[in-house]
Amino acid sequence: MTSGGSPFSRLDTVPVTGSTQDDLRTALTGPEQESWPHLSALRALAQTAGRGRSGRAWVTPDDGGALLVSVVLRPLVPVDRLAWLPLLGGLAVRDALAPLV
């Protein structure tokens, strides 16, 4: 955990974006890619062009009732051993937010 109480090594928040995933992917392939270390995150308060599984549109409510964040993971294990990572991430988010809802 960083000294600011955040689990992220870097956390940028933008008021609105098309897609946090697209913006972060662009940053990670651009000249500032080294400034996004492991466990960096890009958060948006609103998202206009997000995509879900199978290319479905990801529509967010106007009341700010959605968690819109993409996280940089730079794992030290081979990619073929990470198939369970999305499920584990979902469980971690559920467990972290359970006391708040």
Side-chain angles (χ1 to χ4, degrees):
M1 189 172 289
T2 63
S3 60
S6 172
F8 300 109
S9 53
R10 173 181 176 176
L11 175 60
D12 286 11
T13 300
V14 296
V16 65
T17 184
S19 163
T20 58
Q21 189 72 27
D22 288 347
D23 290 354
L24 192 53
R25 184 178 292 119
T26 298
L28 291 172
T29 57
E32 65 175 81
Q33 61 185 292
E34 295 303 318
S35 68
W36 292 90
H38 178 65
L39 293 180
S40 295
L42 176 62
R43 174 180 173 246
L45 302 179
Q47 185 169 270
T48 61
R51 291 177 311 281
R53 298 178 84 175
S54 301
R56 293 182 183 99
W58 183 265
V59 180
T60 58
D62 291 334
D63 65 1
L67 178 62
L68 307 167
V69 65
S70 293
V71 180
V72 175
L73 298 177
R74 299 183 187 274
L76 299 176
V77 297
V79 172
D80 62 340
R81 301 184 81 197
L82 298 175
W84 286 94
L85 190 60
L87 294 173
L88 294 174
L91 286 173
V93 170
R94 182 204 64 185
D95 291 349
L97 296 178
L100 304 174
V101 292

